[in-house]
Amino acid sequence: MIKKTLVRFTAVIMVCMMMLFVIVPENGLVTDAASIKINASLSMTSSETGGKITVKATGSSGVSPYQYKFQYKINSGSWKVVKNFSTSNTASFTTTSAGTYTIRSYVKDKNNLQIYCDITTTVKAKATPLVNSSTINKTSLALGNSVVISAKASGGTAPYTFAYNYKIQDGAAKTFKSFSTTKSATIKLPSAGYYTVQCIVKDKNGKQVTKSFNVTVKKTSNTKLVNNTTLSANVMTLGSVLKIYGKGSGGSQPYVYSYLYSLNGGVYKKIIERQKSSFGSIKLPSVGFYKIKTVVNDISGKISIKVINFTVKQSTGKALTNNSKIDTSDMVERYGTVNLTGNASGGSEPYLFAYSYRIGDGSWNKIKDYSAAKTASLKLSEINKYTFRVSVRDADYKVREKFFVVYSIAKISPSKTVDSVYGHLEAVNIADKGSGAEYAVYYKKTSDYAWNLLRTYSTDKTVQIRPRNVGTYNILLCYRVSGKVTKICYNIRTYIPTDVYKELQLVNNERVKCGVPKVNLDTDLVYAAQIRAEELKRKYSHSRPDGKSCFTVLKENGIYNYSYTGENIAWGYPSVETVMTGWINSKGHHDNIVDSEFKKIGFGINGNYWTQIFTD
C-alpha cells in the first residue's frame, strides 16, 4: 500500500493590522472609527496552481460581534467573492491559474463600521513532470550483435540532454555515452550475460529520470551444460557463513543459478532461486549433515544439477561418549528382533552411527554403515550368542564403540497358567533347588520375543512382579546349579474382575439418577486403584504406607493426563453392593461419585478393602 502524503506549505504571507478604509453607516453615527482594527493571515498548501489558500481574519477594538467577508483577484482582474459577511472568520479557495493573487479580508462590527486588509501572494504554474519515454530495439540478442536505444523526453523544462550506460548482472554501471543532445546510442555488449541498459534524461533544471531495459546476450555452445559449482568449505562450525560459488560451462550462455539445502535427509529448502548472480551464501540453522543442491539453467532451458555434502559441527569441549542402547535384555527368542538406538554426547556434533553384529566368535557383519540414522534392527535367525556393536563417529572423526551381548534361545512353552487380578503384586514361585543354587527370573508378554530381566542370578528366592498391562505374560525361571542352567516357564494371565464392571454400573446408575454424565472405566486407573487397595491392608488411610499422598500412585505409574482427581476408600464391606451403599450414604464419598468434573474411574479390590480413583 502506498501512503499518499500532502505536503502542506504553511506560510503566513502577510499580517495586516491597519485601518485602510472606514465606511460611515447611513445613520451617520461614528463611534471612534479609528479604533477598529483587522489582523489577517493566510497559508498555502502549494505555491503552484491547484494549491489551496486559506485566509483568516480577526477583528478588534470595535464593538463585537464581528462579521467577515473575503474576496480575491488575480493580477488586475475583477474581484471574486469567496465568502460574504458572516461570523466565520476563515475562508479557503483553490488556485486555478498562475499570477499575483490579492486576497482582501473585511471586518464589520456591530455598528456597521468596516475595515479591510489586502494580502498578496504569487502562484506559479504547476510544473509538468519530466518523463523518460526512451525505447530499445531488442531485449535478447546473440553475442556480437548490438542494441540501439532511442532517447525521448517530455515535460520538465526543455532542452534535454541524454546519457547511456550498462551493467552486467549485479556489477557496477559502466558509462557508454555521457550527457549530450545525442538522441540515440548503439551499444555492443561485451560478453554473454544478463544486462541492465539505461538511458538517463536530464532537463534544463537538472532534473533526471532513468529508464532501464533488461537485455540478455546469448552465447551458444555445442558442448554439454556442466555444473562446476563449489563451496567455500565442506565442514564448518555452527554460526559460520557458507559461500557458494556457482559456475557453469558449455550449453548456451548466460546461466541462472538456484541453490537449496537439505538437513539430515529432510526436504530441500530454498537458498536462492533462478538468480542471475552465481554467488550465494547462507548461515545454516543447526548442527547436522547437509546436502547442498546446486542447479544451473542455461538460456536454452538445459539443466545441470550437482549435490555437494556439507557438515555443520559444534564442539562441546568434552570427550566423545557413546550412549547407545539396546531395547532388550540378554535373552531373545529365535526370530525375535533386536532394536539398537545410537546416541552420543561430547565431542563435535553432529554424529554418525554404524551398526554391526557377529554370531558366536565369527566375523563382523554390517547392519548399517556410518550415517545419521539413529536406529537399526536385526532379526535373530539362529540360536546362538549375538554380539552387537554400535560405533559413533563425530565431526572430527573421533570414534567410540559400544558392545551388547544377546543370546538367541529356542521358544520355551509355558507349563501352566496362573490368573492374577490386574494391578496385583504377584509373587514368583521359585522352588528350592538346594544349597549353592542360584535363581534368575525373566518375563515378557507372550506376543514378544525379547525377555526382560526381572532379577539376575541370586540365592534369593523372593521375587514379585506386577504386570503393567492386561493380558498374558510369560515368566521364565532359570535355575543354575554347578554351572548347569535349567529353565521353567509358566504364564501369568492378568484380568479385570467382574466386580469392577459391576461397581462401574452402580456408580453410573447413581450419576444418571443425579443428572450427571456417566464415567468411563480407565485401565490405568484400575491399575493404580488396585495398588492402593493392597496398600490399605498395611495402612488404612488416604496417605500411603510411605507417608506420601494417595495421588502419588498415579505419576509413579506413568499417569499424568489429569488435573482434577479424587479417591474413595472403604474397609470391611463384604460385597460391591454393600460398599456402594456405604459410599452413597456418606456425603463426602457421594460427592466424589456424582462430581460432574470426573470423566474416568478405576476400582481396586483386595478382599474387603475397596478403592475408587477418579480423574477428569
Side-chain angles (χ1 to χ4, degrees), residues 451-523:
W451 289 93
N452 302 291
L453 180 64
L454 183 61
R455 214 277 310 281
T456 190
Y457 280 103
S458 166
T459 56
D460 186 0
K461 296 187 290 296
T462 304
V463 182
Q464 294 177 313
I465 183 172
R466 195 190 306 269
R468 186 61 180 85
N469 297 101
V470 176
T472 303
Y473 287 78
N474 298 143
I475 307 298
L476 181 63
L477 307 177
C478 298
Y479 303 90
R480 186 168 67 187
V481 181
S482 300
K484 183 180 179 180
V485 176
T486 304
K487 299 182 177 71
I488 298 174
C489 181
Y490 71 93
N491 289 338
I492 292 180
R493 184 168 57 206
T494 61
Y495 69 97
I496 296 177
T498 56
D499 277 354
V500 166
Y501 297 100
K502 189 185 296 183
E503 194 171 346
L504 175 67
Q505 182 64 48
L506 293 174
V507 166
N508 281 330
N509 288 346
E510 185 65 18
R511 288 174 71 89
V512 170
K513 178 181 173 182
C514 295
V516 178
K518 294 181 179 180
V519 289
N520 296 312
L521 186 69
D522 184 274
T523 54

Side-chain angles (χ1 to χ4, degrees), residues 175-464:
T175 301
F176 183 73
K177 279 188 179 181
S178 299
F179 281 106
S180 70
T181 57
T182 304
K183 291 187 176 182
S184 69
T186 301
I187 304 175
K188 182 181 286 188
L189 297 165
S191 60
Y194 296 97
Y195 287 83
T196 301
V197 178
Q198 296 178 326
C199 174
I200 305 105
V201 174
K202 181 167 67 173
D203 72 357
K204 181 181 178 181
N205 296 326
K207 291 183 179 178
Q208 294 185 19
V209 177
T210 300
K211 189 168 184 180
S212 300
F213 306 93
N214 293 324
V215 177
T216 302
V217 178
K218 299 180 286 186
K219 180 183 179 182
T220 302
S221 168
N222 293 325
T223 61
K224 179 182 177 182
L225 175 63
V226 178
N227 185 338
N228 300 310
T229 302
T230 57
L231 305 180
S232 58
N234 292 104
V235 179
M236 276 188 173
T237 304
L238 183 64
S240 301
V241 176
L242 171 66
K243 297 177 181 178
I244 308 170
Y245 303 101
K247 185 178 181 182
S249 62
S252 299
Q253 298 183 40
Y255 312 118
V256 292
Y257 301 86
S258 301
Y259 306 131
L260 306 95
Y261 74 88
S262 167
L263 172 60
N264 297 332
V267 297
Y268 277 98
K269 297 182 179 180
K270 180 174 68 176
I271 302 174
I272 61 172
E273 185 174 21
R274 297 188 68 83
Q275 177 177 283
K276 296 173 185 177
S277 171
S278 61
F279 178 75
S281 64
I282 185 173
K283 186 182 288 186
L284 291 163
S286 59
V287 168
F289 299 99
Y290 289 82
K291 290 186 180 298
I292 308 298
K293 181 188 285 188
T294 68
V295 183
V296 178
N297 295 72
D298 74 358
I299 195 68
S300 67
K302 292 178 183 177
I303 300 174
S304 182
I305 297 174
K306 183 177 181 180
V307 177
I308 307 172
N309 293 325
F310 179 75
T311 302
V312 176
K313 70 175 186 176
Q314 184 173 39
S315 180
T316 65
K318 298 179 181 178
L320 176 63
T321 303
N322 189 334
N323 303 315
S324 302
K325 295 180 180 179
I326 192 169
D327 74 337
T328 186
S329 60
D330 58 352
M331 287 200 309
V332 176
E333 290 181 356
R334 186 181 184 184
Y335 305 120
T337 298
V338 171
N339 297 303
L340 301 162
T341 302
N343 192 18
S345 60
S348 296
E349 298 181 57
Y351 310 114
L352 293 175
F353 303 91
Y355 308 87
S356 55
Y357 73 98
R358 68 179 179 183
I359 302 174
D361 296 324
S363 58
W364 288 99
N365 304 284
K366 187 187 299 181
I367 303 175
K368 280 185 182 178
D369 204 353
Y370 278 108
S371 72
K374 292 186 176 181
T375 59
S377 60
L378 181 72
K379 181 179 285 189
L380 308 186
S381 59
E382 60 181 85
I383 296 173
N384 210 323
K385 172 187 174 183
Y386 282 76
T387 304
F388 292 90
R389 178 176 64 193
V390 181
S391 303
V392 176
R393 188 175 77 196
D394 73 359
D396 293 325
Y397 282 79
K398 293 177 182 175
V399 176
R400 296 290 182 271
E401 296 178 334
K402 192 169 184 178
F403 298 88
F404 306 92
V405 175
V406 174
Y407 291 89
S408 176
I409 64 173
K411 184 176 178 63
I412 302 173
S413 299
S415 58
K416 64 178 180 177
T417 298
V418 175
D419 288 326
S420 177
V421 172
Y422 178 53
H424 174 62
L425 185 63
E426 191 73 35
V428 177
N429 185 20
I430 299 179
D432 191 345
K433 296 296 181 180
S435 176
E438 293 180 304
Y439 313 93
V441 182
Y442 296 81
Y443 75 97
K444 68 178 182 67
K445 292 191 73 172
T446 54
S447 57
D448 295 338
Y449 287 91
W451 289 93
N452 302 291
L453 180 64
L454 183 61
R455 214 277 310 281
T456 190
Y457 280 103
S458 166
T459 56
D460 186 0
K461 296 187 290 296
T462 304
V463 182
Q464 294 177 313

Side-chain angles (χ1 to χ4, degrees), residues 161-177:
T161 55
F162 310 92
Y164 308 88
N165 62 37
Y166 69 89
K167 62 179 179 179
I168 185 167
Q169 296 176 175
D170 299 322
K174 296 183 179 180
T175 301
F176 183 73
K177 279 188 179 181

Side-chain angles (χ1 to χ4, degrees), residues 7 83 89 100 128 138 169 183 242 310 347 378 408 553 588:
V7 179
K83 185 182 287 185
N89 69 336
T100 299
T128 305
K138 58 182 72 175
Q169 296 176 175
K183 291 187 176 182
L242 171 66
F310 179 75
L378 181 72
S408 176
V553 73

